[in-house]
Amino acid sequence: PPAGAAPVASGGVTPLSHASVARGSCPVGPVFRIEEVEADGVVVLLQRLDPVSHAPEGTPRPMLDELVSVVQEHGSMVQACAIAEVNNPRPNSSQLRVYELGPVPGDSGRLQLLTAGNDDLDLVVRGCILRFIVQGEGKDIEADVKEQMKWTREMIELRGEEVRGFGNRLLADARARTVVRGGLIFSCCGRGTGMYGRANVDSEAFQEAFPTSFGLCGFFSNGEIGPTHLGASRTRTHGLTSVYTLFEGV
C-alpha cells in the first residue's frame, strides 16, 4: 500500500493510491539539464537553461564548477540536488528525487550522487532536469507545500476513468467519481512551529486544497517513510518532511 496508509475501507472511503512528500528544502540557482552522466551517479556535465524559455544558455560545464558558481552567487551551502524526469523543466517538489552530493572516490574534482541504498540511480540519465537545493526558509517551504497540495488536487481531478489511481498502484475497481475525504500526515519534529513560527501550516495547506476533507490526523516523528518521488513504487526514509496519505470517498 502507499507509504503511511492503513488498510481502511469503510463507510465508502477508500485509501487513495498516492502518498505525497512535502520537503524541507528549496531549489536554488539556475535550472540545469544533465548533458553527460556516467555509471554510479557520476554527473559529468550540466547545461544551464533559460529560466523562462528553458533554451540552453552557453555551453555545458562540469557539475562541480556549476555548484561552486551557485554557492558563490547565493551564499548558501549546497549539499544535495534534486532530479526530475526528462523534459520536465518546471517540476513540482513531489516529482523530484533528492540525492546527497559527494566527491568521486579518488577524484575530488568530480561529483557523484549518493543514495540511501534504494534510490533509483538508473533513472538519472542525459536530459534529466537538475536543481541544487538548500535548507529552505519557512516562508519558502510554506509556499511550496501549498503549491504541492494544489497540484496534487489538480492531478486527482484530471484522472480518467480507465486509470483511477496515480502513484503506487491502480484502483481498477473504483470507477465512481470520488473526492478526497481525509488523510494522514506524518511530520518531522523539525517542522511545525520550529520551522514556520506558527502551528498547523502543513495541515492547513491540505485542508485548503481539499475542502471536502473531514479532517487530517497524524503525528510528529523522527524520520518519515514515503515515496522517493511522486509515483514511485520505491520508498525511503526522509528527513524534515511531511508525508501525506490521502483517502477518497463518494
Side-chain angles (χ1 to χ4, degrees):
V8 178
S10 61
V13 178
T14 305
L16 178 64
S17 58
H18 176 59
S20 181
V21 179
R23 307 188 188 279
S25 54
C26 295
V28 64
V31 177
F32 296 98
R33 184 178 65 214
I34 296 177
E35 287 298 301
E36 184 179 344
V37 59
E38 298 178 356
D40 299 324
V42 178
V43 177
V44 181
L45 294 174
L46 294 178
Q47 173 65 62
R48 287 196 181 208
L49 303 179
D50 180 90
V52 178
S53 67
H54 295 99
E57 290 186 333
T59 58
R61 300 177 63 203
M63 183 178 185
L64 182 58
D65 291 353
E66 292 292 10
L67 172 61
V68 171
S69 296
V70 169
V71 172
Q72 291 175 340
E73 291 172 10
H74 296 273
S76 301
M77 180 58 67
V78 177
Q79 296 180 320
C81 69
I83 306 289
E85 294 179 355
V86 177
N87 299 322
N88 185 13
R90 296 185 180 88
N92 179 275
S93 63
S94 282
Q95 299 170 287
L96 296 173
R97 302 186 298 276
V98 176
Y99 300 92
E100 300 296 316
L101 295 172
V104 176
D107 186 355
S108 59
R110 297 201 300 166
L111 295 173
Q112 69 179 149
L113 309 184
L114 306 177
T115 75
N118 60 352
D119 290 322
D120 32 17
L121 278 176
D122 55 324
L123 297 178
V124 181
V125 298
R126 185 176 185 271
C128 281
I129 299 301
L130 182 145
R131 300 294 305 274
F132 293 113
I133 58 175
V134 297
Q135 173 61 48
E137 298 291 336
K139 59 181 178 60
D140 298 322
I141 299 175
E142 180 175 353
D144 183 75
V145 171
K146 289 182 177 180
E147 175 62 24
Q148 181 175 328
M149 290 295 101
K150 176 184 175 183
W151 184 85
T152 301
R153 184 194 67 218
E154 291 173 352
M155 291 300 99
I156 294 172
E157 293 173 348
L158 288 173
R159 286 180 306 169
E161 289 196 358
E162 294 195 5
V163 181
R164 285 295 303 155
F166 73 98
N168 297 339
R169 63 189 177 92
L170 302 180
L171 296 178
D173 58 339
R175 300 291 182 180
R177 182 65 178 175
T178 58
V179 295
V180 172
R181 291 300 188 187
L184 303 175
I185 181 173
F186 306 94
S187 293
C188 177
C189 295
R191 296 179 76 91
T193 55
M195 175 179 287
Y196 298 114
R198 63 186 182 89
N200 303 321
V201 172
D202 289 346
S203 55
E204 288 173 358
F206 175 90
Q207 199 64 42
E208 181 180 330
F210 302 106
T212 56
S213 169
F214 295 130
L216 188 68
C217 63
F219 50 81
F220 287 96
S221 61
N222 187 18
E224 307 79 52
I225 299 175
T228 57
H229 63 286
L230 179 65
S233 58
R234 300 176 182 179
T235 60
R236 63 170 292 180
T237 301
H238 296 271
L240 210 61
T241 62
S242 283
V243 175
Y244 299 83
T245 295
L246 284 63
F247 293 86
E248 62 179 348
V250 294

